[in-house]
Amino acid sequence: MEEIKNIMLGHSCCSISIVIVTPLKSTFRRLKEVLNIEKVYDGAFFENCIFKIDKGNKQGLLILSPQGIAAQDIIELFSDTSILFFGLAGSLSANIKIGDFVEVKTVVDVEKNTASLTTAGKFRTVKCGYSPCMLGALAKKYCNFAKSVKCDVVDMETTYCAKTAIQRNNRFTSLLLISDIPEIINFWEVSEQEQKKLKDCRIVAIDKIVDYINILVKES
């Protein structure tokens, strides 16, 4: 596994107590600005950097993942570790609006298998389903399935990243920002006002992720 980590990340990432994973480049860049970065590996297969955690003299790892189910390839590199995923999701509930933050309590895959995630109780907890895309007949098919099993939201990563994390004995937390409402408001149809709200929320997300890091470190 160390050899695979060296190929994928550029190092074997020893002494890492928490891993932050996001497919959002803007979030990754902003986190690099606010975290106490010690080493950047921008030439690796997955761009990543090591950051220092003051409490307990620990280290964390920030990784820019691909979008979609391929993100689970990163999760598979770790075991017995706290992992925090941050991404975007589509709402399937009238009570969950664009710009809302949610944390995933339960995931369900396309075989109707469910799993429970680690939550910190900071935001509304939701049940998350899987959708491999954001538009068209395929998206509709997966969203309809997610609704049939009582999911509140769907995204492209959380369900299978969580499944892989649990198989590897990781504590997995998923914090999601609602970016659209499938079949009602697609991401390109979001109003100017909601676009501004979403942009502001993505900036605020940095503080929320840092807050989560502190919670997860305290609990680890």
Side-chain angles (χ1 to χ4, degrees):
M1 183 58 73
E2 284 194 8
E3 184 179 348
I4 295 173
K5 288 179 179 177
N6 278 311
I7 293 171
M8 296 296 186
L9 302 173
H11 59 104
S12 59
C13 53
C14 298
S15 305
I16 297 296
S17 61
I18 184 168
V19 180
I20 312 299
V21 180
T22 181
L24 307 177
K25 290 183 180 180
S26 60
T27 300
F28 179 81
R29 288 195 299 267
R30 291 190 184 114
L31 280 170
K32 283 175 65 176
E33 293 171 358
V34 302
L35 294 174
N36 187 1
I37 300 298
E38 293 188 323
K39 178 74 174 176
V40 176
Y41 296 88
D42 53 9
F45 193 85
F46 298 117
E47 186 177 354
N48 68 96
C49 50
I50 294 173
F51 60 93
K52 182 177 171 57
I53 301 170
D54 292 333
K55 183 179 175 60
N57 197 30
K58 298 179 179 180
Q59 289 182 317
L61 186 64
L62 172 64
I63 305 176
L64 179 63
S65 76
Q67 286 191 325
I69 202 169
Q72 71 178 338
D73 293 341
I74 290 174
I75 309 301
E76 201 164 30
L77 297 174
F78 302 93
S79 59
D80 304 303
T81 304
S82 290
I83 300 176
L84 170 61
F85 174 84
F86 175 72
L88 302 178
S91 171
L92 302 179
S93 169
N95 297 320
I96 302 175
K97 311 294 186 183
I98 291 175
D100 287 352
F101 286 92
V102 296
E103 52 185 331
V104 179
K105 184 175 183 178
T106 309
V107 293
V108 58
D109 65 20
V110 295
E111 288 81 33
K112 297 188 179 181
N113 299 309
T114 62
S116 298
L117 277 61
T118 301
T119 58
K122 299 289 288 183
F123 304 103
R124 175 174 176 169
T125 56
V126 297
K127 186 176 184 179
C128 181
Y130 169 70
S131 178
C133 58
M134 295 178 286
L135 54 100
L138 190 60
K140 183 176 182 178
K141 171 187 172 182
Y142 279 92
C143 285
N144 285 342
F145 173 80
K147 288 177 183 177
S148 75
V149 291
K150 309 301 183 186
C151 289
D152 306 291
V153 302
V154 289
D155 79 345
M156 296 190 290
E157 296 91 7
T158 295
T159 298
Y160 288 96
C161 282
K163 187 174 181 178
T164 301
I166 292 167
Q167 289 170 348
R168 299 282 295 158
N169 199 37
N170 293 296
R171 297 171 69 246
F172 188 79
T173 300
S174 178
L175 175 62
L176 301 174
L177 175 62
I178 303 302
S179 61
D180 63 293
I181 305 174
E183 299 185 67
I184 298 176
I185 303 176
N186 294 303
F187 65 92
W188 68 88
E189 298 171 323
V190 174
S191 68
E192 188 173 331
Q193 182 179 1
E194 286 175 320
Q195 284 180 23
K196 183 181 184 307
K197 179 183 178 183
L198 191 57
K199 183 178 179 181
D200 292 342
C201 287
R202 289 180 73 158
I203 294 172
V204 171
I206 305 306
D207 292 332
K208 297 186 185 301
I209 293 170
V210 172
D211 185 36
Y212 256 78
I213 292 171
N214 293 328
I215 292 171
L216 295 174
V217 167
K218 190 182 297 183
E219 293 177 349
S220 65

